[in-house]
Amino acid sequence: MKILLSLGLSFALMTQLKGADYYVSTSGSDANPGTQALPWQTISKVNSTTFGAGDRIFFQGGQTFTGPLIFAASAGTSTNPIVIGSYGIGIATISSTGDGIDITDTQGFLISSLILNGGNQSTNTGRGIYLLNDLTGNVTLGPVSINNVTISNFKYEGIAIYGLNGSSGWNTITITKSTTYGNRDGIQSYAAANGAIQNVVIDNVVAHDNPGTSGYSNPSGSGIVLGQVNGATIQRCIAYGNGARSSSTAGGPVGIWCYDSSNVVIQYCESYNNTGGSSVDGDGFDLDINTSYSILRYNYSHGNTGAGYLFGAAGTVGGNLIENNVSQNDGLKNGYAGIEAWGTVANDKVDSNWVFAQSPASAGIRIASGAMVTNLQFRNNTIFVTGNLPIVKGDTISGVTCSGNDYWRTDGSFLVSWNGVQYTSLNAWETATGQEAGTGFNEPPPWLLSMPSPTPTPTPTPTPTATPTPTPSPSPTPTPIPIPTPTSTPTPTPTPTPTPTVTPTPTVTPTPTPTPSPSIAFVQSPAIAALTASTTPSATFASDTTTGNTIIAVVSWFSSGSETITNVRDNVNGAINYSVAVPLYRAQSRKIAIYYLNNITGGTTPTITATLSNAQSVQIAIHEFRGINALDTTHTNNNGYGSATTGSITTTNANDLLIGAILGGTETGSESGWNLKVGSNLSVEYSIVSSTGTYAATFTPPTTYVAAIASFKGN
């Protein structure tokens, strides 16, 4: 067997020798040829070079290099990927105030044995490893493998896998033996179309203490979350301590979960001590909205503020299986249970799980009020509770079948709450409801006669293994992990999904221009573009823009459909997507979003264009400012009728720019200290403040509206 493995590895390395090897060391020079004897010095040299299949770029171990590392024109293949790694003694670090590594509209990469550090999650502006496909024509890219990396302190995801144009996405993404912590989210995928991301393997990954973002309206602070995926395996992974800063009340973070996905298997994983922040979720595991034909099995959830295992939500197709899992002492806040079904649930099976629940959980197993259930089966589970908890709490009972389960309370009593009626014996419940029908048990669980006390030991963050100096050349090539083939591929149901934040390029803090405090200053803003039916609204500056400044774009439109913004760009910065400050926000048929791009390349009267799907009656307003450093905080407000206000935000920086926007008829500003620009339906105000405080943009007259406000930090 060793001989066969050696031969296989040798063959794999031989196939990669078709390319060239390049070395980077802080003691080198960018004028060098990039050999190991005469290495390059900076990532800038790497970014200015186009690489081909089989080429390998190695950074000297133990040294730190300033990123981001960007690949847009280079491409490898499945058999000859472009390799990025370390050489010599120790592991190389890529440090960046923006993204760590960008792979945009290209494919065929192996990233191995690196440390990526964003410095500080609150001041960083990017992602650790960003895989972005926004090509037109429904193009699928891949493969990309990520192995033995540690990623920390980035503003958004540690690893992001995005497809942002139609059905363009990724196939064959492998992430192994890696750690992501201190980012907004650990690992996340998102695509504009369900099923655009296929065949994902996440194996032996630790995602911990990714706190999320306060003030963000979407769920943030998850360990591992896959969206719009068809065919994925998450296994032998650990997620803990995530979600501490989440403040969204619409939906919260989860240790490990998926949504808008099918044929996902999550197995042999542990998820613990995750929190939903202020009020929502913080679950261990979740099969969420539009998840179908997926499996949770052989997992261990404990000490989470939300449910141990949550499943359901709007639009769920179903056919999911939750089997042979353990939930211990979950549901520590907000009335969650060890296992909980909610929303739309169809043809799901919950089989052979062990649940240990105690106060403040609501129950061992719960079917939430308002759930729309078709053929939900609870079979052969052991549910063990202490105190006065009901063993099962069926707030919704239609479509639910219970059989072969063991129900036990530590004092020997029985309590099931079923459609608001309390049953104190198994026989009474069976007789009144027809559940169990002689198949259930009211007996002490075998092997366990008392509630175990959760004593989780935090999992240490693994350090990537050093890559030794090879002879004659380094070859950090891991053994390939086979990609599972989905057993079935149902047609996914498209569902409106919040547009994710997109920052695929570095943010370099410009050299500040000496100006009176505060340093932020308005430069220019043309009239708001006319209201028109378009999928590509645009606005053009009247004067040239200046390198290092920031452009802010507000997009609004009327439509009852599910349009999303796929990108915002300009004709000077080209393929660089603007970052989302406030994502698509809806009020009845009114929608609004705020985007921005720091450190622009100055150009001649640039035109900023947003790309939408099926948009109608759309407007765009653009501003240029100097002295902006980073996004501070955001807020959206959907009040329908009444006082037209964005709602308030509290800044954390003494020197901020406030951008308030409203869609809802011709408006006028109604407060001092703001500068107003009015379109036919879109109105935008800005204010530059010099101290921390609570602010809101207010408009008159009141009308049906949607409004948003974003705050940007000054230098």
Side-chain angles (χ1 to χ4, degrees):
M1 180 60 72
K2 290 183 179 178
I3 294 174
L4 291 176
L5 289 174
S6 298
L7 288 174
L9 182 59
S10 297
F11 178 78
L13 296 181
M14 287 172 62
T15 62
Q16 291 186 1
L17 294 179
K18 295 177 182 178
D21 290 347
Y22 300 89
Y23 298 84
V24 189
S25 171
T26 55
S27 61
S29 169
D30 288 348
N32 286 343
T35 62
Q36 189 168 1
L38 295 170
W40 293 333
Q41 184 182 46
T42 70
I43 283 179
S44 296
K45 177 64 176 178
V46 179
N47 290 344
S48 65
T49 305
T50 300
F51 301 93
D55 287 346
R56 302 186 297 182
I57 307 109
F58 299 107
F59 296 88
Q60 187 166 358
Q63 297 185 350
T64 298
F65 301 85
T66 301
L69 183 58
I70 301 173
F71 297 95
S74 303
T77 67
S78 58
T79 56
N80 264 347
I82 296 172
V83 176
I84 309 158
S86 299
Y87 78 97
I89 299 173
I91 300 298
T93 297
I94 295 176
S95 176
S96 178
T97 59
D99 295 335
I101 298 176
D102 284 341
I103 296 176
T104 301
D105 297 340
T106 186
Q107 62 190 343
F109 287 83
L110 165 61
I111 303 169
S112 182
S113 300
L114 287 172
I115 297 170
L116 304 178
N117 192 336
N120 188 310
Q121 196 255 341
S122 63
T123 58
N124 183 274
T125 61
R127 297 170 169 85
I129 297 177
Y130 190 16
L131 310 182
L132 172 63
N133 179 356
D134 62 353
L135 296 171
T136 59
N138 302 327
V139 177
T140 299
L141 297 175
V144 174
S145 294
I146 300 167
N147 176 66
N148 196 34
V149 297
T150 297
I151 307 171
S152 63
N153 303 319
F154 287 89
K155 179 171 184 176
Y156 302 114
E157 302 90 347
I159 300 175
I161 308 160
Y162 282 170
L164 298 180
N165 200 334
S167 295
S168 290
W170 297 89
N171 192 329
T172 311
I173 305 297
T174 305
I175 306 169
T176 57
K177 298 180 181 178
S178 298
T179 299
T180 172
Y181 67 93
N183 313 289
R184 186 192 70 182
D185 298 274
I187 297 174
Q188 178 165 269
S189 72
Y190 168 82
N194 291 353
I197 301 171
Q198 304 173 43
N199 297 327
V200 177
V201 170
I202 302 176
D203 189 2
N204 200 8
V205 167
V206 177
H208 71 90
D209 297 297
N210 298 285
T213 300
S214 177
Y216 187 47
S217 60
N218 293 323
S220 67
S222 293
I224 300 172
V225 50
L226 297 182
Q228 293 75 45
V229 168
N230 183 6
T233 298
I234 303 173
Q235 62 183 10
R236 297 181 291 185
C237 295
I238 300 173
Y240 68 89
N242 300 291
R245 293 182 197 157
S246 172
S247 60
S248 171
T249 58
V254 179
I256 301 174
W257 64 299
C258 63
Y259 69 97
D260 283 347
S261 295
S262 58
N263 300 301
V264 177
V265 177
I266 303 173
Q267 60 186 7
Y268 309 112
C269 295
E270 181 181 9
S271 184
Y272 66 94
N273 292 5
N274 300 292
T275 176
S278 60
S279 61
V280 184
D281 288 313
D283 315 296
F285 299 87
D286 182 13
L287 302 179
D288 212 276
I289 180 173
N290 284 322
T291 295
S292 59
Y293 309 110
S294 296
I295 300 173
L296 284 169
R297 64 186 176 199
Y298 305 115
N299 300 296
Y300 178 31
S301 174
H302 55 107
N304 298 289
T305 63
Y309 302 88
L310 188 70
F311 63 103
T316 296
V317 174
N320 301 308
L321 175 62
I322 300 172
E323 65 173 355
N324 294 297
N325 302 285
V326 174
S327 169
Q328 177 184 336
N329 200 32
D330 291 311
L332 299 180
K333 286 178 63 176
N334 303 315
Y336 286 98
I339 297 178
E340 181 156 340
W342 72 291
T344 303
V345 178
N347 302 313
D348 289 349
K349 296 179 181 178
V350 181
D351 198 335
S352 302
N353 302 281
W354 282 64
V355 178
F356 308 97
Q358 59 191 36
S359 182
S362 61
I365 290 177
R366 181 186 178 208
I367 307 99
S369 177
M372 294 174 285
V373 177
T374 303
N375 189 27
L376 171 59
Q377 300 181 45
F378 291 94
R379 307 185 307 190
N380 308 315
N381 301 286
T382 300
I383 312 118
F384 179 29
V385 306
T386 64
N388 59 0
L389 295 187
I391 307 165
V392 173
K393 191 172 190 289
D395 297 330
T396 297
I397 63 170
S398 177
V400 179
T401 301
C402 301
S403 61
N405 301 289
D406 188 4
Y407 308 86
W408 185 250
R409 300 174 89 195
T410 51
D411 62 3
S413 63
F414 180 94
L415 179 61
V416 165
S417 175
W418 202 249
N419 198 26
V421 179
Q422 310 296 310
Y423 295 95
T424 56
S425 75
L426 178 59
N427 182 66
W429 182 45
E430 290 178 339
T431 301
T433 66
Q435 296 294 335
E436 289 297 346
T439 63
F441 303 90
N442 181 204
E443 300 175 357
W447 311 304
L448 278 169
L449 299 180
S450 63
M451 172 67 71
S453 298
T455 54
T457 302
T459 304
T461 301
T463 300
T465 306
T467 305
T469 303
T471 304
S473 62
S475 302
T477 306
T479 302
I481 293 178
I483 305 299
T485 301
T487 56
S488 61
T489 308
T491 302
T493 303
T495 299
T497 304
T499 302
T501 50
V502 178
T503 44
T505 193
T507 301
V508 180
T509 304
T511 302
T513 303
T515 56
S517 181
S519 62
I520 296 175
F522 170 77
V523 178
Q524 62 170 322
S525 176
I528 296 177
L531 186 69
T532 182
S534 174
T535 58
T536 54
S538 63
T540 302
F541 283 108
S543 302
D544 296 351
T545 54
T546 302
T547 298
N549 284 352
T550 294
I551 294 174
I552 296 173
V554 181
V555 188
S556 67
W557 66 98
F558 292 91
S559 173
S560 59
S562 57
E563 294 82 13
T564 59
I565 298 177
T566 58
N567 62 68
V568 176
R569 294 176 171 173
D570 63 63
N571 59 346
V572 174
N573 294 282
I576 300 173
N577 281 333
Y578 282 44
S579 301
V580 61
V582 176
L584 172 63
Y585 191 71
R586 298 176 177 84
Q588 299 175 13
S589 62
R590 292 161 168 79
K591 305 174 184 180
I592 200 166
I594 300 175
Y595 282 76
Y596 68 99
L597 180 63
N598 283 352
N599 192 35
I600 62 171
T601 300
T604 304
T605 61
T607 296
I608 286 75
T609 303
T611 302
L612 300 91
S613 58
N614 305 317
Q616 300 177 7
S617 302
V618 61
Q619 285 187 294
I620 183 170
I622 57 176
H623 290 71
E624 180 185 6
F625 292 89
R626 71 166 181 259
I628 293 177
N629 179 24
L631 181 67
D632 186 1
T633 185
T634 64
H635 184 72
T636 53
N637 191 24
N638 174 10
N639 200 31
Y641 293 91
S643 176
T645 174
T646 60
S648 62
I649 57 173
T650 302
T651 62
T652 65
N653 193 56
N655 178 17
D656 270 19
L657 166 70
L658 309 176
I659 297 287
I662 187 168
L663 172 63
T666 302
E667 303 284 350
T668 59
S670 60
E671 75 280 15
S672 61
W674 292 77
N675 293 275
L676 176 69
K677 183 171 291 295
V678 179
S680 56
N681 279 279
L682 172 66
S683 299
V684 180
E685 288 189 334
Y686 77 87
S687 179
I688 301 169
V689 299
S690 57
S691 61
T692 57
T694 300
Y695 302 93
T698 303
F699 300 81
T700 57
T703 184
T704 305
Y705 73 93
V706 57
I709 186 169
S711 177
F712 298 85
K713 296 179 181 179
N715 291 326

